[in-house]
Amino acid sequence: MAFEDAIVIGGGPCGMQAAISLQEIGKNPLIIEKGNIVNAIYHYPTHQTFFSTSEKLEIGDVAFITENRKPVRLQALTYYREVAKRKELRVNTYEKVLSAVKREDGLFVVSTTKGQYETPYVVLATGYYDQPNMLNVPGEDLNKVFHYFKEGHPYHNQDVVVIGGKNSSVDAAMELAMAGARVTVIYRGSSYSSSIKPWILPEFEALVRHGKIKMEFNAHVREIKPESVVYEKDGERIEIKNDYVFAMIGYHPDFEFLKECGIYYDEESGRPIINEETMETNVEHLYIAGVIAAGRNANEIFIENGRFHGGKIARSIAQKEQEQS
């Protein structure tokens, strides 16, 4: 069984920053990532533009310079690859962590699809993008239903429903409409979400006004059928022709994995119980970094504030070791 100074589970920006912060206190951490680095960003829509400006996405004191204030997906992928290279991060890619169990001697045994490791410190930075929220309606398991959107071209001249009313839904609906899909957006809210990017909303509203997108507020999907979607609005049951559905209703942390690690979390909010100053969980030497700390409220922590968790973790570990020496 290989011994590691520290293991970071998850190779997103916050996990990478945690590893860099650990390097700065003399550790040689190993990142274990089930895909490749910044796997979630890779799975973003092809033409995604970030809400944050480039300097707020920086990690490891490496400048992120772009010609536009807000970088796009491809620029972010290039930047984070460069950070991994410059900082010589050790990353085991395409290796999925199955469990992280603390032994009586205080060391963690981290089991993966490729082996086992033991380490005194574990940082959980797995994000939430792999666990989509479910609609819990009949037909949700049909092959035509997706929880991720890549690009609009395959849906040209198709009847498409987008469920949800926040940024991911609006972005998907606009690209689908521009690709020539017939788009209906079904949203349970009564008006546009305040979280929609302010530079996007006027363009989206214009598409709705001109009939390029049909917007249904106060609407709830009740059933998805092979060739239609059934929803309810103002007490009326409506069925529309449909080829594809994008259920863009958010994501959540892997609560089962948290539970298996022994981490306590609030059942209602999904928020792990942590020390906010150190990011340490109730399991000593097991830390959390990134959006997973926000539980179900993914709009609370982003790269731009989650990247500071690594510094808190490193300071905590350095202090613990100083006290022990």
Side-chain angles (χ1 to χ4, degrees):
M1 191 184 303
F3 177 84
E4 298 292 345
D5 279 358
I7 287 178
V8 178
I9 303 173
C14 297
M16 290 173 66
Q17 178 59 69
I20 292 166
S21 297
L22 289 168
Q23 285 179 337
E24 291 168 354
I25 62 167
K27 299 295 180 186
N28 186 24
L30 174 67
I31 297 173
I32 303 178
E33 166 57 54
K34 67 173 177 43
N36 210 320
I37 59 166
V38 294
N39 189 59
I41 293 176
Y42 169 71
H43 286 289
Y44 283 0
T46 303
H47 307 296
Q48 175 85 38
T49 298
F50 280 80
F51 190 93
S52 304
T53 54
S54 55
E55 73 271 12
K56 292 183 178 179
L57 301 175
E58 291 176 356
I59 60 173
D61 295 321
V62 177
F64 185 4
I65 299 169
T66 57
E67 65 273 21
N68 303 317
R69 284 188 70 243
K70 298 178 187 296
V72 298
R73 167 185 169 275
L74 187 58
Q75 291 170 323
L77 292 176
T78 304
Y79 169 74
Y80 290 116
R81 289 198 303 267
E82 184 62 24
V83 172
K85 180 181 173 183
R86 288 196 198 181
K87 296 297 181 179
E88 299 180 345
L89 295 178
R90 297 169 58 229
V91 189
N92 282 15
T93 54
Y94 302 102
E95 182 171 356
K96 182 177 173 61
V97 172
L98 304 174
S99 63
V101 180
K102 192 171 187 181
R103 293 194 311 228
E104 288 185 8
D105 64 0
L107 291 179
F108 293 89
V109 175
V110 178
S111 301
T112 76
T113 49
K114 295 185 178 179
Q116 284 191 319
Y117 309 82
E118 57 181 11
T119 182
Y121 304 105
V122 170
V123 179
L124 198 57
T126 51
Y128 64 92
Y129 200 58
D130 293 321
Q131 289 80 223
N133 295 333
M134 305 306 285
L135 293 161
N136 298 316
V137 299
E140 186 174 19
D141 57 349
L142 290 173
N143 290 335
K144 71 173 191 172
V145 180
F146 305 99
H147 293 274
Y148 303 92
F149 176 78
K150 200 67 179 170
E151 54 187 324
H153 174 77
Y155 311 99
H156 170 74
N157 201 32
Q158 304 292 298
D159 292 294
V160 182
V161 161
V162 177
I163 303 170
K166 297 186 178 178
N167 281 306
S168 57
S169 307
V170 166
D171 287 345
M174 287 176 60
E175 187 165 340
L176 286 161
M178 285 186 273
R182 294 177 291 277
V183 183
T184 300
V185 177
I186 298 175
Y187 181 42
R188 65 184 180 182
S190 58
S191 60
Y192 292 110
S193 169
S194 59
S195 69
I196 296 174
K197 301 166 190 170
W199 65 92
I200 290 292
L201 186 56
E203 187 179 351
F204 182 80
E205 288 180 308
L207 288 169
V208 172
R209 280 198 311 273
H210 291 97
K212 302 292 185 184
I213 294 174
K214 184 178 182 182
M215 185 74 205
E216 291 282 46
F217 290 110
N218 298 312
H220 301 264
V221 172
R222 297 305 184 201
E223 185 177 359
I224 300 169
K225 298 181 180 181
E227 296 180 356
S228 64
V229 166
V230 180
Y231 63 97
E232 191 173 306
K233 179 177 179 176
D234 301 328
E236 182 185 357
R237 193 173 172 88
I238 303 165
E239 184 167 355
I240 58 173
K241 186 175 178 295
N242 175 258
D243 298 303
Y244 295 98
V245 173
F246 287 93
M248 314 298 289
I249 55 171
Y251 309 90
H252 61 267
D254 187 345
F255 296 120
E256 274 308 306
F257 189 78
L258 293 180
K259 198 179 295 182
E260 288 166 8
C261 290
I263 297 171
Y264 299 151
Y265 63 91
D266 181 76
E267 289 283 349
E268 187 175 337
S269 68
R271 188 187 299 274
I273 309 301
I274 58 170
N275 181 328
E276 298 284 348
E277 297 300 313
T278 64
M279 306 307 293
E280 190 173 22
T281 69
N282 59 284
V283 180
E284 191 178 14
H285 295 176
L286 175 54
Y287 296 84
I288 278 177
V291 69
I292 191 173
R296 292 188 178 87
N297 186 12
N299 289 322
E300 182 179 307
I301 297 176
F302 308 91
I303 298 170
E304 63 181 62
N305 52 1
R307 62 186 172 148
F308 297 116
H309 294 167
K312 291 182 176 183
I313 293 166
R315 286 191 292 273
S316 170
I317 291 173
Q319 186 175 351
K320 284 174 183 283
E321 295 194 341
Q322 188 177 8
E323 290 170 354
Q324 290 170 359
S325 61

